Amino acid sequence: MIKLNNRVRINKSKMRVGRGIGSGKGKTSGRGVKGQKSRSGVAIKSFEGGQMPLYRRLPKRGFNPIIKKNIAILNLNKIQSYINKKSIKTGDLLNSELLKKLKLINKDTFKLKILGSGEIKDKINIEADLASKSAVEKLEKVGGSIQIKK
């Protein structure tokens, strides 16, 4: 707020730089003398003189949780293809330990989720952490069962 001739001005006009020595921002326009920062088009925000910048020295973090619970996803058509290839026997209880042992899922996974994409023809018993409704319906229709671990 600026008072001018007993009137109050709300908006302060912006400083016009480079308009003569009397303005207080003449000649070098408040940029000092010489050097990169006195020139136009300067972008040296995180530049450290060729040294590896801080933002690149630090490890990447953020939206990827450090302790990530990997979930292995298995569709019914994939299970059927494993049965056809004789990787899985229909009499076995299909669980994450068996799949890890057969190297059909990654050993770093914490949970197993069964999804209902595709068709399954053989009767099989599955033990999983999660399952979709369609997968449960299709398995029960064939005569198989699915147990969900708590």
Side-chain angles (χ1 to χ4, degrees):
M1 213 161 55
I2 303 166
K3 276 193 170 181
L4 275 177
N5 302 351
N6 297 331
R7 290 185 313 164
V8 177
R9 280 187 52 190
I10 305 296
N11 296 334
K12 185 179 177 184
S13 57
K14 84 177 198 64
M15 171 65 80
R16 296 181 71 215
V17 295
R19 292 296 183 275
I21 201 165
S23 69
K25 285 272 193 258
K27 195 182 167 226
T28 53
S29 306
R31 285 174 173 263
V33 185
K34 294 186 180 176
Q36 189 179 5
K37 286 185 179 175
S38 72
R39 320 275 190 235
S40 65
V42 175
I44 53 170
K45 204 160 253 151
S46 63
F47 184 68
E48 296 182 18
Q51 175 177 297
M52 188 63 67
L54 182 67
Y55 71 91
R56 287 181 63 195
R57 287 195 300 259
L58 297 174
K60 283 185 188 166
R61 287 196 56 200
F63 293 99
N64 300 321
I66 289 174
I67 302 167
K68 189 177 178 183
K69 297 275 187 261
N70 292 326
I71 299 173
I73 293 171
L74 211 56
N75 278 307
L76 291 179
N77 59 359
K78 199 75 174 166
I79 295 169
Q80 185 62 49
S81 72
Y82 289 142
I83 293 168
N84 294 344
K85 289 179 194 169
K86 302 207 177 358
S87 300
I88 301 170
K89 296 182 187 85
T90 52
D92 293 343
L93 176 69
L94 187 69
N95 57 16
S96 56
E97 287 80 38
L98 177 75
L99 291 167
K100 283 177 187 176
K101 198 168 88 180
L102 296 171
K103 295 184 178 170
L104 300 176
I105 61 170
N106 193 336
K107 64 179 183 195
D108 298 332
T109 56
F110 285 93
K111 292 184 177 184
L112 175 66
K113 184 171 186 175
I114 307 297
L115 298 179
S117 177
E119 290 297 318
I120 190 154
K121 298 174 187 99
D122 298 302
K123 180 179 150 184
I124 191 159
N125 297 326
I126 299 173
E127 184 185 47
D129 298 290
L130 306 155
S132 67
K133 288 177 188 173
S134 60
V136 173
E137 286 171 14
K138 287 178 182 178
L139 273 164
E140 287 173 352
K141 196 168 118 184
V142 175
S145 68
I146 187 159
Q147 294 141 350
I148 285 133
K149 288 192 261 180
K150 294 289 178 207

